[in-house]
Amino acid sequence: MIHVNGYAAQKAKAHLAPYSFQRREPSDYDVVIDIKYCGICHTDIHQVGDEWGGSQFPMVPGHEITGIVLQVGPKVSRYKTGDKVGVGCFVDSCRKCEPCRKNLEQYCTGGMTTTYNGFEQDRKTPTQGGYSNKIVVDENYVLRIPDNLPLDKTAPLLCAGITLYSPLVHWGAGPGKKVAIIGLGGIGHMGVKIAHALGAEVTVLSHSLKKQEDGKKLGADFFYATSDDTTFEKLKGYFDLIINTVSAEIDWNKYLELLKLDGAMVVVGIPEKEIPVGSFSLVAGRRSIAGSLIGGIKETQEMLDFCSKNGITSEIELIPIQKVNEAYKRVLNSDVRYRFVIDIKSLEQK
Ligand code: NAP
Ligand code: ZN
Ligand code: ZN
């Protein structure tokens, strides 16, 4: 077994604190990764808070992992010691179902193995995430980090980057398309950068105008405050695609009105409570509302290569792990510019 140090929540809503545990001895196809950085996703906060139900404790969160390969099993062919690698939101899947065969493991009907707060494919061994110094992952679920991308600013691409890249590409964001991103947080700011690089016209819809200057620097063409009701008048019927990243309950009907004929609003934010949608918001303008979950391994690698070519990384605030609880509070107050990333070497500090 491999001894690992990390930070865990012992029960729902508990503060995270030092925690040591064991990971499996690497099998033939496993890669052992020396974790260098791990991003803090809002999902970590939802799950530590058991907001979606079914959370398991102790929980070591973290699914925006980058590091260096420490050791590989004898049959590993894709990675070697010293390689720059990443791990995202899942570390295994059934490998047999239709989505798995289509490289869409995130929709595995057998149930993917989430990086933490999940179970291995044996359905009994719990998984633990990247707020820790080592992880053991099958090589098929490991990503290669391109040489020109730094490990700290790239960590958030493993969840935030792919969560926005996948729907932007699937719904055809590109030249001539008007795209809105609701919420300029961790995943939203990656959406602005990626949609801009894909060639779409990008608008940010944020609570207030506080982040306006940043939004423009990130690549937004326009920026509006949703606290101002005239925004909804001005933008009625304007967008082809709206990506909704908001982690809290907002009135989706108001935003659906901003879509033009055949426009789609894709929900990626996952608030705790359900949100009602009226038929009129959809039937008028043949609009659709859809959802999207992260991305498969193949597409995640494609996203990393796209970001490498376009020089895209995340805007981060690097913190020692001892500040994780404070960082959670700041994320909840929308006070993050734009992703907290934990420097894992801080685990060695007492
Ligand atoms: P985040 O950094 O906290 O960003 C969320 C943003 O939403 C905030 O920055 C804020 O943007 C806006 N917001 C927050 N509360 C709001 C409110 N009450 N009213 C209006 N806007 C509000 O979180 P994140 O890490 O980007 O994650 C966002 C959501 O996506 C979470 O629910 C997370 O679980 C989910 N998620 C889903 C997937 C997926 O695969 N579907 C993957 C990753 C994360 P402004 O300040 O600009 O208004
Ligand atoms: Zn995430
Ligand atoms: Zn499957």
Side-chain angles (χ1 to χ4, degrees), residues 126-343:
T127 54
Q128 298 291 13
Y131 298 5
S132 64
N133 60 352
K134 284 191 195 81
I135 191 164
V136 181
V137 182
D138 182 291
E139 68 166 334
N140 291 309
Y141 295 81
V142 174
L143 286 308
R144 180 171 300 284
I145 307 293
D147 272 346
N148 68 329
L149 297 181
L151 289 181
D152 54 353
K153 295 190 170 76
T154 298
L157 304 191
L158 277 307
C159 172
I162 186 60
T163 298
L164 272 286
Y165 180 86
S166 185
L168 285 167
V169 170
H170 187 79
W171 274 272
K177 289 288 168 75
K178 296 184 164 77
V179 175
I181 307 283
I182 319 177
L184 193 63
I187 68 173
H189 93 289
M190 290 312 309
V192 172
K193 290 190 177 201
I194 293 168
H196 176 72
L198 288 167
E201 178 196 287
V202 188
T203 300
V204 174
L205 302 173
S206 186
H207 289 79
S208 70
L209 293 179
K210 269 194 236 154
K211 303 175 185 170
Q212 183 168 22
E213 232 174 86
D214 289 351
K216 297 271 175 83
K217 276 193 214 137
L218 297 168
D221 299 284
F222 304 105
F223 198 105
Y224 291 92
T226 52
S227 51
D228 177 354
D229 277 338
T230 65
T231 294
F232 293 90
E233 287 304 314
K234 280 186 211 141
L235 297 175
K236 213 168 220 163
Y238 187 77
F239 298 108
D240 297 289
L241 175 64
I242 298 178
I243 312 263
N244 177 356
T245 79
V246 177
S247 50
E249 290 77 23
I250 55 171
D251 182 1
W252 288 354
N253 299 293
K254 268 172 86 174
Y255 293 86
L256 286 166
E257 298 288 333
L258 308 186
L259 291 170
K260 60 164 78 151
L261 176 63
D262 288 330
M265 175 163 88
V266 181
V267 173
V268 290
I270 313 177
E272 188 174 356
K273 298 196 189 85
E274 288 178 9
I275 295 173
V277 177
S279 308
F280 276 112
S281 324
L282 295 171
V283 298
R286 198 163 56 184
R287 300 177 179 123
S288 24
I289 185 162
S292 183
L293 183 68
I294 47 177
I297 294 293
K298 183 165 179 275
E299 195 177 35
T300 304
Q301 190 63 59
E302 184 185 305
M303 175 276 307
L304 286 165
D305 297 340
F306 174 86
C307 288
S308 158
K309 264 195 215 105
N310 290 281
I312 295 176
T313 52
S314 174
E315 302 302 308
I316 66 162
E317 190 174 328
L318 195 63
I319 57 161
I321 201 158
Q322 292 76 8
K323 293 230 162 121
V324 66
N325 296 304
E326 203 180 297
Y328 274 26
K329 267 196 220 124
R330 286 184 51 198
V331 171
L332 289 170
N333 291 330
S334 295
D335 174 24
V336 47
R337 301 285 189 277
Y338 280 87
R339 198 57 139 189
F340 286 110
V341 171
I342 302 169
D343 186 350

Side-chain angles (χ1 to χ4, degrees), residues 94-97 100 108-110:
C94 87
R95 310 180 190 206
K96 294 193 273 285
C97 70
C100 279
C108 174
T109 53

